[in-house]
């Protein structure tokens, strides 16, 4: 009897990382390694999808305003210039803080696109998720929303799609009527969402004299929340110098109460008297910006009083993202 010849498997060609398609986590990895996808190339893909990008808006014009619109401002829109220009049939692309029913994006009947910013994202990179949503919105059927999904780990980011030289000028709205061109004839579902959103919106104004500073009105007191681009340690030292010198306030009845971190930037917060409007705070904020610039330029060691002031500011700091 002839011996059975041992069966041998032909060696599969090895694929480069860029050629490996995405398959089910428990399926054999297409690269030919013999391991399951989740233990091979899927591991890198999963890590890329979940790794937190601490400054997702870094490199974009108006980084501080991106952070403010993501975390602080109820209702605002910004026109977004695309690096390669607008596609045919898309008259405009605008960023919106939030959209009806928390849609990630909306292609309007006229072909224009609204991209929602204040949405949960599936990965650790908000910029990549938003870019994926934007790309899908540009080709969506007019009059339809774009649903959420996990962006491909190797997909483009906003920094790849938006014009790096384009202006970023937010328009803050009192309510969400910008959702629909004719709010009086909106569907019952959109009208109900619009009513709920308007009722919850905190009056907010963007200051014109300094960058990325937003006044807001609450029932107890008003606030100024100012997104600053400076390195955190340097900024805290500068704020401590001003605080110890008694020059960290914005005038009578105002007080620097602390700061928080959001998307890699630091946001100092001041309490303001109830009667102090956004217009009232414009000049004090501009004067504070000059004092801060001087303090940021100092490299002298902190004095004991300044170290105590810095400790107080640090103890009152929280992280939003």
């Amino acid at each position: 009897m002839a011996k059975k010849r041992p069966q041998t498997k032909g060696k599969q060609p090895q694929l480069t990382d860029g050629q490996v398609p995405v398959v089910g986590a428990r399926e054999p990895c297409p690269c030919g390694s013999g391991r399951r996808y989740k233990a091979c190339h899927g591991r890198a893909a999963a890590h890329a999808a979940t790794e937190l990008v601490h400054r997702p808006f870094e490199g974009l014009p108006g980084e501080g305003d991106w952070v403010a619109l993501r975390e602080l401002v109820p209702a605002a829109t910004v026109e977004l210039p695309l690096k390669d220009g607008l596609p045919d049939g898309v008259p405009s692309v605008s960023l919106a803080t939030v959209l009806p029913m928390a849609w990630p994006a909306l292609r309007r009947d006229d072909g224009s696109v609204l991209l929602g910013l204040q949405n949960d994202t599936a990965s650790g990179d908000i910029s990549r998720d938003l870019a994926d949503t934007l790309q899908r919105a540009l080709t969506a059927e007019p009059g339809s929303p774009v649903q959420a999904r996990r962006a491909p780990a190797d997909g483009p980011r906003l920094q790849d799609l938006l014009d790096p030289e384009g202006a970023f000028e937010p328009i803050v709205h009192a309510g969400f009527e910008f959702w629909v061109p004719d709010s009086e004839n909106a569907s019952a579902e959109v009208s109900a969402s619009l009513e709920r959103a308007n009722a919850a919106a905190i009056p907010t104004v963007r200051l014109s004299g300094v960058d990325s500073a937003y006044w807001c009105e609450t029932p107890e007191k008003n606030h100024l929340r100012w997104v600053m681009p400076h390195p955190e340690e340097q900024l805290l030292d500068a704020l401590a110098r001003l605080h110890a010198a008694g020059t960290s306030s914005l005038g009578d009845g105002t007080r620097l109460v602390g700061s928080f971190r959001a998307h890699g930037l630091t946001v100092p917060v001041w309490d303001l008297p109830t009667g102090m409007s956004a217009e009232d705070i414009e000049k004090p904020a501009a004067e504070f910006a000059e004092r801060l610039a001087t303090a940021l330029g100092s490299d002298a060691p902190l004095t004991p009083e300044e170290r105590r002031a810095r400790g107080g500011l640090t103890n009152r700091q929280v992280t939003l993202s």
Side-chain angles (χ1 to χ4, degrees):
M1 180 181 244
K3 292 183 179 179
K4 290 183 179 180
R5 296 179 60 186
Q7 295 182 357
T8 59
K9 295 182 179 180
K11 187 176 181 181
Q12 297 185 20
Q14 296 293 310
L15 304 177
T16 65
D17 287 353
Q19 297 174 319
V20 177
V22 176
V23 299
R26 294 181 177 275
E27 295 180 37
C29 187
C31 76
S33 66
R35 292 181 292 172
R36 290 179 177 178
Y37 178 71
K38 71 175 184 179
C40 192
H41 280 83
R43 179 179 298 170
H47 179 72
T50 58
E51 184 179 14
L52 179 63
V53 176
H54 291 280
R55 285 185 65 178
F57 308 118
E58 185 177 14
L60 292 173
E63 180 186 7
D65 287 306
W66 277 93
V67 172
L69 268 56
R70 168 78 181 183
E71 300 295 340
L72 307 177
V73 182
T77 55
V78 190
E79 187 169 346
L80 297 178
L82 303 186
K83 184 179 293 185
D84 297 326
L86 294 171
D88 291 341
V90 180
S92 65
V93 174
S94 297
L95 183 73
T97 47
V98 68
L99 294 176
M101 279 74 76
W103 287 330
L106 172 66
R107 181 92 185 270
R108 283 176 158 166
D109 291 334
D110 66 355
S112 61
V113 168
L114 284 177
L115 176 66
L117 180 58
Q118 295 180 11
N119 292 312
D120 292 334
T121 54
S123 79
D125 187 352
I126 298 170
S127 178
R128 195 179 307 280
D129 288 331
L130 288 171
D132 177 69
T133 301
L134 174 57
Q135 284 190 312
R136 291 185 290 126
L138 293 173
T139 58
E141 286 295 323
S144 62
V146 175
Q147 302 303 322
R149 76 170 189 183
R150 181 186 290 276
D154 59 350
R157 307 178 73 239
L158 288 173
Q159 289 82 348
D160 302 314
L161 302 183
L162 302 184
D163 183 354
E165 303 300 326
F168 191 83
E169 296 292 339
I171 299 174
V172 178
H173 304 276
F176 295 88
E177 281 73 20
F178 65 85
W179 281 352
V180 286
D182 184 5
S183 58
E184 293 183 358
N185 295 320
S187 68
E189 188 178 24
V190 170
S191 295
S193 182
L194 178 62
E195 184 177 351
R196 289 192 301 270
N198 282 342
I202 295 174
T204 301
V205 176
R206 180 176 182 250
L207 299 194
S208 60
V210 295
D211 293 334
S212 309
Y214 290 80
W215 169 95
C216 68
E217 180 182 24
T218 65
E220 297 80 20
K221 60 186 69 174
N222 298 346
H223 304 279
L224 183 71
R225 298 176 291 189
W226 192 339
V227 187
M228 296 188 172
H230 317 291
E232 181 180 358
E233 296 303 314
Q234 181 187 11
L235 176 59
L236 289 175
D237 281 353
L239 291 174
R241 296 181 196 279
L242 297 178
H243 202 62
T247 58
S248 64
S249 74
L250 300 174
D252 293 341
T254 71
R255 185 168 67 99
L256 174 63
V257 294
S259 64
F260 59 88
R261 302 182 191 91
H263 307 293
L265 299 184
T266 303
V267 187
V269 179
W270 285 262
D271 280 350
L272 312 175
T274 301
M276 181 172 279
S277 67
E279 185 178 355
D280 295 333
I281 206 65
E282 286 278 9
K283 183 179 179 181
E287 293 171 345
F288 177 85
E290 294 179 359
R291 298 196 298 272
L292 180 64
T294 300
L296 286 166
S298 175
D299 58 1
L302 295 180
T303 66
E305 293 79 8
E306 291 168 346
R307 287 198 297 272
R308 284 193 292 271
R310 193 186 194 284
L313 291 171
T314 303
N315 291 338
R316 296 193 297 273
Q317 189 177 52
V318 297
T319 300
L320 294 186
S321 56

